[in-house]
Amino acid sequence: MLDTQRPGLTHACVAVLRRDLTLAWRQRGDMVLPVLYALIVTSLFPFALGPESALLKRIAGGVVLVTVLLAMLLALDAMFRSDIEDGSLEQLMLAPQPLALMLGMKILAHWLATALPLIVVAPMLAGMLHLPAAVMPVLMAALLLATPLLSLLGGILVALTAGTRRSGMLLALMLLPLCVPVVIFAAGALAAAQEGLPWIAPVAWLGAALVLAVVLAPLACAAALRIALDS
């Protein structure tokens, strides 16, 4: 019986992922906005602080990291918005597949559509601020761990505020305190790499937090969504 259920579960996961990515591609203008925001904010720092290379190198890692995380907040509010408006989220709650797994696929699709383009342009943003090439792999590793962690944490808060109108400001206020540990560990790894010190420990902590969030966040998101839609 277990073997007959696995293909259905796999097919459901692939279908949810494909559907959300297709919808994101149809509204690809919304995908470009976070990238444009990150480009504009990063390009303003040399004008505000001056073209001194040493100063820009010192702040480059932190600026790119914080800019990418803030750019993700622009699209976080829309994670479940269309599903709530067209009623597909209620249908998903009635489906025989585990709701937590289906929501995990939706969070993955949101990360692929929102955070992955930001990670792709991150080396260009870092190059604009003269980040040393030796630190670039550390920046990419930190972003690959910090951005999905932010998406998972944001998914819980989006589920809690599901159905409320204009919840973007509330969502940002709730999520920013949760971003602080992520920024601390990621920035610590970048600072250590720039000083030539070991940087594996902060990245390992980010990886451990991501593994924990991958297991627990979809479950918490499903529970929060049931509470929000039942109330």
Side-chain angles (χ1 to χ4, degrees):
M1 184 177 180
L2 183 61
D3 293 334
T4 59
Q5 290 179 351
R6 282 181 180 173
L9 184 61
T10 303
H11 178 73
C13 293
V14 174
V16 171
L17 186 62
R18 183 187 296 119
R19 172 189 177 274
D20 283 14
L21 290 178
T22 302
L23 291 176
W25 178 251
R26 290 176 180 174
Q27 299 176 352
R28 48 188 174 271
D30 295 337
M31 297 171 55
V32 178
L33 286 179
V35 176
L36 290 178
Y37 170 84
L39 286 171
I40 292 172
V41 171
T42 305
S43 63
L44 290 178
F45 273 90
F47 294 103
L49 300 177
E52 185 181 353
S53 179
L55 176 60
L56 294 177
K57 284 182 181 179
R58 190 165 65 250
I59 66 170
V63 168
V64 173
L65 180 67
V66 172
T67 301
V68 169
L69 294 182
L70 289 178
M72 288 185 62
L73 291 178
L74 296 176
L76 199 59
D77 186 36
M79 184 180 292
F80 301 139
R81 181 190 302 162
S82 61
D83 299 304
I84 295 174
E85 292 175 351
D86 61 16
S88 60
L89 201 56
E90 286 81 358
Q91 297 296 323
L92 201 63
M93 294 176 66
L94 298 175
Q97 289 81 15
L99 179 61
L101 187 58
M102 298 297 101
L103 293 178
M105 291 299 102
K106 298 184 76 64
I107 295 173
L108 175 60
H110 179 269
W111 180 82
L112 291 173
T114 303
L116 195 59
L118 291 169
I119 295 175
V120 170
V121 301
M124 183 178 65
L125 301 179
M128 292 168 58
L129 299 176
H130 305 288
L131 184 71
V135 187
M136 200 72 71
V138 184
L139 174 64
M140 300 303 293
L143 289 175
L144 286 172
L145 294 174
T147 51
L149 183 56
L150 179 62
S151 293
L152 289 165
L153 294 175
I156 301 174
L157 300 180
V158 171
L160 282 173
T161 59
T164 60
R165 294 181 178 272
R166 298 180 180 179
S167 60
M169 183 61 67
L170 177 62
L171 183 63
L173 292 176
M174 294 170 62
L175 186 60
L176 283 177
L178 299 178
C179 294
V180 172
V182 179
V183 172
I184 288 175
F185 283 114
L190 292 172
Q194 285 185 290
E195 296 293 333
L197 300 174
W199 50 268
I200 296 295
V203 174
W205 279 108
L206 280 177
L210 178 59
V211 171
L212 190 64
V214 167
V215 176
L216 297 180
L219 298 173
C221 186
L225 197 59
R226 287 192 177 96
I227 293 172
L229 295 182
D230 290 341
S231 59

